[in-house]
Amino acid sequence: MATTTTEIPRKFHQAVEKWRDTYLPDFAYLMENWDRYFPRDDKFRLCAYRECGMPCSIECGEDQGKPKYTRACDMKPEAAHHLVSAIRAQASTEFGSIQQHQLTLARAQDEEEQAMVLRMMAEELRHGYQMLHLLTDDDWQPITGQTQEQTVEEILSMKTGSHVLGAFNIDFESFVDNIVFCALIDRVGKYQLTLQKVSAYSPMADSMPQMLREEAFHLATGVVPLRRWVVKAAAGSPMITMEVIQKHLNKWVPRAYEMFGDERGGATNVKWGLKPMKNAESQDQYAKECAKVVRDLNMRYLRARLPELTLAEAEEGLAALERDRGTFRGVKFDDLLRLPHREYGRRRGVPAFRWIGVDGETFESVEAYLSHLTRTLPDGYRATRDFQDFVDNLRAVARGEKTADEAQKAMPQLRRVGGVCPCSKSVRWVADEAIELPSSAVGA
Amino acid sequence: MPRRGAPLSAEAIQVRSLTELDLDGIVRIGEKTRNRYEPDLWEGRVTYYLRRAPEGSLVAEVDGEVAGFMLGDVRSGEFGIEEQCGWIEVMGVDPEFAGRGVGRALAEEMLRRYAARGVRKVRTMVDSSMPEVEAFFTRLGFAADTLRSYRMDLDMSPVPGRD
């Protein structure tokens, strides 16, 4: 596990620190209290890591077995263009997630959970820094037409609403979002990092192992609090209920599926050796993993509700609930969590704008489907512009005014538009251009 | 008594790095081996080891189920040991898989990973009331160290003259 560390050029490093001071104002608190929350752990350092001893030959695709590329200029122009889009999108998600987490970080009810999220945010900053390292350690100008300064400025100026991927353009409403996001959206990130670990561009592949080590903790930052919350819910806590958790799963799971890219895509990445798996295959594995998360949470809930059960009785009870969808010693199937259907609430990919419910049920009319969405999504989220645009496009597709493909390209983006007034860095929704997603997306 | 089967082939035991998804499997093994359901304890421990170095702790899967785990860490500066030292701190094997090579597969992979990290010494502590664990580590090549565990039980009875 030998790694090398490096910093990006001073002016860019300082730009990231300035960004950190703006969007991660609790960073100083984290550093001051590091030993209190994370005794024995090496202190956080803003730097780029490269793993030593990684494979030197391309591991998949049409050039499998040939030496990996160390410079973008040696790659096929199309492949290099594809790669730089992915790096840029990855950087966008890393910085974007910090902006989202910061919104509700202070609303945590538990100090330990808050500290875990704060550390995770610092590590996401480092992941964004790692991507900037890739963009500033090589000459991408022949491919992007941008100078390094322009590229870094473009990435660091993105805000919630202007990031590359939809999941990073949705404002958090409560600390439940912080935790569910870690458990679900960071999990997509883990997949993308794992896939990119075989990248034919060796600086990318070498960047992944340390990011994956840190991502493992980020997933625990989501899953462990969720496990504790379902116990509180089982005890009848007024602070958290299974219904609230379920509604947040419904909010984020569709966005997570979409982060893998269109189910029909991903072959180009495989062909060029940038990733070993197509989008649908990765999405399938992700869905299985999420199903395990949900089942484990249900087991934790069931045992908290019925502490007298033995392990064997609990396993039999949960299996019976899943099989019969009935009641087991007073616990109803509807009390448990469930993973939303793959086609529920989708706005991108093959199932975009279909009327599919949480359990895979279908609806006769768009209004009936909207009524279902009203019941199954968090109240706060339904009041957002993001949801309104989804509803508008859903209705437009139902009326035949747009195809589903047209509608998914027309989802507007939130932009902050400057003006003459000093306070005019306001949020406006702009629908004047279609959003172009990379054929295979990335995640935090 | 749990049924003990034949030793498993190396291919049947998949050893990999610990993840947060292993929590339920570890809690289950803990419950089977200690006769206590302690999810809070294991959630805290797994979070700690994931935070420290997820590749430093392992689980063994058989047919997709967690059959054993081994949690460890590389540290220095403790008990006067200044060199980087690998510690095997917690391990557990599902009783259904006891004696079938799961523990050995975990330990061999752990030692291989420690060696790859440049660690020259690996330590663990074994309760002498558990001879089977002692025998397990002896078979792996561990030998008694000069470092010994000492214990003192504090008298918790009220001190006269104090509240």
Side-chain angles (χ1 to χ4, degrees), chain A residues 40-41 213 227 300 303, chain B residues 31 43 51-52 55:
Chain A
R40 293 181 173 175
D41 292 8
R213 284 178 201 116
R227 290 173 64 94
R300 189 87 164 88
R303 298 201 70 175
Chain B
E31 188 170 4
E43 282 160 6
R51 195 181 88 200
R52 295 281 300 163
E55 292 158 324

Side-chain angles (χ1 to χ4, degrees), chain A residues 1 38-41 116 119 187 213 216-217 219 223-224 227 289 292-293 296 300 303 311 315, chain B residues 20-21 23-24 27-28 31-32 37 39-40 43 47-48 50-52 54-55 75 78 116-117:
Chain A
M1 198 176 76
F38 311 113
R40 293 181 173 175
D41 292 8
M116 287 168 71
R119 172 173 170 164
R187 190 171 305 282
R213 284 178 201 116
F217 170 67
L219 295 177
V223 167
V224 171
R227 290 173 64 94
E289 208 170 289
K292 173 161 173 49
V293 171
D296 289 353
R300 189 87 164 88
R303 298 201 70 175
L311 171 62
E315 285 176 342
Chain B
E20 88 294 343
L21 290 171
L23 257 169
D24 248 39
V27 169
R28 183 166 36 82
E31 188 170 4
K32 285 184 178 179
Y37 175 57
D40 296 310
E43 282 160 6
T47 302
Y48 170 81
L50 286 174
R51 195 181 88 200
R52 295 281 300 163
E55 292 158 324
R75 294 198 299 272
E78 292 176 322
R117 290 172 71 174

Side-chain angles (χ1 to χ4, degrees), chain A residues 154-404:
Chain A
E154 181 187 53
I155 290 167
L156 294 183
S157 63
M158 289 179 182
K159 300 202 174 81
T160 307
S162 62
H163 287 287
V164 179
L165 300 181
F168 299 86
N169 292 325
I170 297 172
D171 284 340
F172 287 10
E173 299 145 37
S174 75
F175 198 67
V176 182
D177 278 318
N178 295 72
I179 293 304
V180 174
F181 190 95
C182 286
L184 297 175
I185 304 297
D186 278 61
R187 190 171 305 282
V188 183
K190 180 192 78 170
Y191 269 85
Q192 299 297 349
L193 300 179
T194 304
L195 297 174
Q196 287 165 180
K197 200 172 160 186
V198 307
S199 178
Y201 181 62
S202 63
M204 182 70 148
D206 300 349
S207 294
M208 295 301 116
Q210 181 63 24
M211 291 173 76
L212 278 163
R213 284 178 201 116
E214 290 160 349
E215 206 67 39
F217 170 67
H218 302 177
L219 295 177
T221 299
V223 167
V224 171
L226 276 176
R227 290 173 64 94
R228 292 171 179 165
W229 289 1
V230 298
V231 173
K232 287 183 182 173
S237 166
M239 315 303 281
I240 189 76
T241 64
M242 294 295 266
E243 185 187 6
V244 165
I245 297 171
Q246 180 65 58
K247 286 184 172 181
H248 283 79
L249 295 181
N250 298 344
K251 173 182 175 180
W252 289 109
V253 166
R255 304 289 78 75
Y257 285 141
E258 288 165 358
M259 287 172 65
F260 287 92
D262 191 289
E263 286 84 350
R264 294 159 290 197
T268 312
N269 273 317
V270 177
K271 183 175 84 173
W272 286 327
L274 300 176
K275 289 181 183 175
M277 225 182 268
K278 293 182 189 175
N279 299 350
E281 198 179 347
S282 314
Q283 198 194 73
D284 283 345
Q285 289 190 8
Y286 172 81
K288 282 181 191 155
E289 208 170 289
C290 286
K292 173 161 173 49
V293 171
V294 169
R295 191 171 201 280
D296 289 353
L297 290 173
N298 284 335
M299 177 59 92
R300 189 87 164 88
Y301 173 81
L302 184 66
R303 298 201 70 175
R305 281 280 302 268
L306 304 169
E308 70 277 13
L309 296 183
T310 64
L311 171 62
E313 287 169 341
E315 285 176 342
E316 282 171 23
L318 185 57
L321 281 166
E322 290 170 334
R323 185 182 61 242
D324 306 331
R325 302 197 160 205
T327 301
F328 176 76
R329 300 194 191 183
V331 178
K332 291 179 287 191
F333 174 73
D334 286 344
D335 294 337
L336 304 179
L337 299 173
R338 64 196 75 177
L339 187 65
H341 191 271
R342 293 273 279 274
E343 301 191 2
Y344 166 80
R346 293 286 299 274
R347 59 177 69 162
R348 293 193 186 282
V350 171
F353 299 103
R354 287 181 188 164
W355 305 338
I356 306 294
V358 170
D359 291 322
E361 66 271 42
T362 55
F363 297 84
E364 294 293 315
S365 68
V366 70
E367 295 309 320
Y369 186 50
L370 287 171
S371 174
H372 174 75
L373 293 177
T374 303
R375 289 193 304 275
T376 53
L377 287 167
D379 290 347
Y381 173 64
R382 288 192 291 106
T384 63
R385 182 64 188 261
D386 182 77
F387 183 64
Q388 185 187 323
D389 286 316
F390 174 63
V391 171
D392 289 347
N393 277 291
L394 197 66
R395 284 190 168 129
V397 173
R399 287 193 297 266
E401 294 167 8
K402 287 178 185 172
T403 65

Side-chain angles (χ1 to χ4, degrees), chain A residues 6-148:
Chain A
T6 185
E7 289 187 357
I8 60 178
R10 187 174 170 76
K11 61 183 173 183
F12 299 135
H13 185 92
Q14 288 175 333
V16 175
E17 287 180 330
K18 178 78 177 164
W19 189 98
R20 182 192 68 199
D21 293 343
T22 305
Y23 295 107
L24 187 48
D26 296 312
F27 181 77
Y29 173 84
L30 175 68
M31 289 298 98
E32 285 164 18
N33 292 279
W34 185 270
D35 291 336
R36 180 176 152 210
Y37 294 121
F38 311 113
R40 293 181 173 175
D41 292 8
D42 293 339
K43 213 155 192 174
F44 174 81
R45 185 181 159 204
L46 186 60
C47 65
Y49 292 87
R50 293 253 193 118
E51 189 85 352
C52 304
M54 295 282 283
C56 301
S57 303
I58 296 174
E59 296 167 72
C60 62
E62 59 188 21
D63 290 331
Q64 187 172 5
K66 292 181 182 172
K68 285 195 177 187
Y69 302 103
T70 56
R71 298 182 310 171
C73 63
D74 295 331
M75 299 176 74
K76 290 170 190 157
E78 277 178 297
H81 193 271
H82 212 73
L83 173 64
V84 76
S85 296
I87 297 172
R88 193 178 149 276
Q90 181 85 42
S92 162
T93 66
E94 308 292 1
F95 290 111
S97 71
I98 297 167
Q99 293 167 327
Q100 289 170 299
H101 280 289
Q102 183 61 40
L103 287 172
T104 46
L105 177 68
R107 298 183 203 171
Q109 292 173 349
D110 181 281
E111 192 180 341
E112 185 197 353
E113 290 168 2
Q114 188 177 45
M116 287 168 71
V117 170
L118 185 52
R119 172 173 170 164
M120 179 275 303
M121 291 165 71
E123 290 175 349
E124 296 292 12
L125 180 79
R126 203 201 67 69
H127 294 184
Y129 187 96
Q130 184 84 33
M131 293 300 105
L132 294 186
H133 162 65
L134 295 180
L135 293 168
T136 57
D137 198 49
D138 201 346
D139 182 12
W140 297 94
Q141 193 163 1
I143 298 144
T144 62
Q146 284 184 321
T147 64
Q148 290 184 348

Side-chain angles (χ1 to χ4, degrees), chain B residues 4 7 17-18 30 34 36 44-48 50 65-66 72 83 90 105 114 120 134-136 138 153 159:
Chain B
R4 294 204 174 197
S17 300
L18 173 76
R34 299 167 173 225
R36 290 193 298 271
R45 283 193 176 172
V46 166
T47 302
Y48 170 81
L50 286 174
E65 295 292 323
V66 176
E83 65 182 325
V90 191
Y114 280 153
R120 305 290 296 274
E134 201 167 357
F136 168 76
T138 303
D153 296 331
V159 178

